[in-house]
């Protein structure tokens, strides 16, 4: 029983510990910008926040990825045909695609700061001939790259928690999935396990986006995905090893049109 109480306590404290760890990267970010004379970044709160998060995530991102791979690999390996990967960032997941199944991957990443490393990782994964970086937002997709009803697989891995207007984006993306196509999901979501955890999660989510690059942990992404259109099959669930008192829970699985 004592171990259970300690586990609950750790899950309640852990988000604050993680934010403190993020905060520890702010002074060194400011110092680096000063010595490199990047005063325009220092004077812009949004640019400073981006630089701070980039430095922090450069340290913890790889570790976070390794922890998530046992869950994410089986999902991404099911991607097939023409794929829309939303928010690939620096390409943390590109080496998990099954090259025997995918014919084309459009990596929708409007942040050009990520493109150099994304290209490098695409090359390392052996996908240079089929992976195309799309440097625009979802709202501009259909103008040049891919049309409605032409996508076999959409992949969203921990990106819908930080994009602006996620509900509108989800509804727009549904139209790109062809009949029989699929949406592969691994995302942070709002908890549905009791009023206390919900209230506590809402409290954590007040400072959380400022320390974690705009990520919000209280978005009802699963509900929005289910309601985005007519799905023939929905297989979404919280990962087995996440307890009901998880303050930062995920939803994972596949929706089939």
């Amino acid at each position: 029983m004592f171990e259970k109480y300690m586990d609950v306590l750790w899950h309640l404290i852990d988000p604050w510990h993680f934010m403190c760890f993020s905060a520890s990267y702010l002074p060194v970010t400011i110092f680096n910008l000063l010595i490199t004379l990047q005063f325009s970044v220092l004077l812009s709160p949004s640019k400073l926040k981006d630089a701070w998060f980039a430095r922090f995530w450069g340290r913890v991102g790889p570790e976070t990825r390794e922890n998530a791979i046992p869950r994410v690999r089986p999902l991404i390996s099911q991607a097939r045909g023409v794929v829309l990967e939303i928010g690939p960032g620096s390409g943390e997941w590109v080496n998990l695609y099954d090259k025997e199944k995918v014919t084309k991957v459009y990596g929708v990443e409007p942040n050009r700061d990520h493109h150099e490393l994304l290209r490098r990782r695409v090359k390392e994964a052996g996908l240079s001939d089929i992976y195309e970086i799309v440097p625009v937002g979802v709202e501009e997709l259909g103008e040049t790259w891919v049309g409605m009803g032409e996508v076999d697989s959409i992949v969203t891995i921990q990106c819908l928690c930080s994009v602006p207007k996620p509900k509108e984006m989800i509804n727009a993306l549904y139209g790109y999935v062809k009949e029989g196509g699929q949406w592969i999901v691994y995302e942070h979501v709002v908890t549905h396990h009791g009023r206390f955890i919900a209230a506590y999660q809402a409290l954590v989510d007040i400072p959380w986006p400022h320390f974690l690059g705009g990520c919000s942990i209280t978005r009802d992404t699963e509900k929005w995905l289910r309601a985005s259109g007519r799905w023939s099959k929905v297989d979404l669930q919280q990962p087995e090893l996440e307890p009901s008192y998880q303050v930062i829970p995920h939803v994972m699985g596949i929706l089939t049109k």
Side-chain angles (χ1 to χ4, degrees):
M1 185 65 70
F2 176 75
E3 291 182 357
K4 176 67 176 294
Y5 287 142
M6 292 303 295
D7 189 56
V8 172
L9 182 61
W10 170 247
H11 277 82
L12 295 177
I13 294 175
D14 188 44
W16 303 99
H17 172 263
F18 199 59
M19 283 188 282
C20 287
F21 188 38
S22 173
S24 71
Y25 279 76
L26 181 56
V28 69
T29 301
I30 293 174
F31 178 74
N32 182 71
L33 293 172
L34 282 171
I35 63 174
T36 56
L37 305 180
Q38 297 184 59
F39 301 118
S40 62
V41 178
L42 282 168
L43 296 174
S44 169
S46 61
K47 291 180 180 179
L48 174 58
K49 189 178 292 186
D50 287 344
W52 165 26
F53 181 70
R55 179 172 290 272
F56 168 65
W57 201 249
R59 164 63 178 81
V60 303
E63 182 178 341
T64 302
R65 176 186 181 277
E66 289 302 312
N67 292 336
I69 277 182
R71 300 171 181 174
V72 175
R73 185 190 299 276
L75 292 172
I76 292 187
S77 66
Q78 296 186 58
R80 63 179 187 271
V82 177
V83 179
L84 269 183
E85 182 181 9
I86 308 301
S90 300
E92 287 83 357
W93 314 106
V94 294
N95 68 331
L96 301 182
Y97 285 105
D98 185 338
K99 290 181 284 188
E100 300 299 319
K101 294 180 180 178
V102 297
T103 57
K104 182 72 176 183
V105 183
Y106 294 99
V108 183
E109 182 50 72
N111 188 339
R112 295 175 184 270
D113 290 338
H114 290 303
H115 290 183
E116 182 179 354
L117 184 52
L118 176 56
R119 289 191 188 94
R120 190 188 317 160
R121 287 177 169 162
V122 166
K123 183 177 181 180
E124 291 170 355
L127 297 174
S128 296
D129 56 335
I130 63 170
Y131 197 107
E132 182 174 353
I133 298 174
V134 179
V136 300
V138 169
E139 66 279 1
E140 301 176 66
L141 260 180
E143 296 181 8
T144 305
W145 284 271
V146 63
M148 292 290 179
E150 295 180 356
V151 174
D152 296 286
S153 304
I154 289 180
V155 175
T156 52
I157 307 295
Q158 295 186 159
C159 71
L160 296 176
C161 58
S162 57
V163 298
K165 300 181 180 179
K167 187 176 181 180
E168 290 85 343
M169 177 181 286
I170 289 170
N171 290 335
L173 285 171
Y174 174 84
Y176 286 96
V177 185
K178 65 173 57 175
E179 292 296 321
Q182 58 186 355
W183 193 321
I184 296 168
V185 177
Y186 182 71
E187 294 287 349
H188 295 304
V189 289
V190 66
T191 183
H192 294 290
H193 291 287
R195 293 182 180 179
F196 172 77
I197 293 298
Y200 188 76
Q201 185 191 54
L203 175 65
V204 171
D205 200 43
I206 295 172
W208 182 267
H210 301 287
F211 289 84
L212 274 300
C215 169
S216 172
I217 58 174
T218 57
R219 293 182 173 180
D220 206 346
T221 304
E222 178 177 356
K223 177 182 177 181
W224 298 336
L225 284 166
R226 289 177 179 271
S228 61
R230 299 180 62 182
W231 301 101
S232 63
K233 182 180 180 181
V234 176
D235 182 14
L236 297 176
Q237 61 276 321
Q238 188 173 343
E240 290 184 6
L241 296 181
E242 287 188 356
S244 60
Y245 45 84
Q246 179 82 24
V247 181
I248 310 176
H250 296 82
V251 67
M252 59 182 290
I254 298 177
L255 304 96
T256 306
K257 193 169 182 178

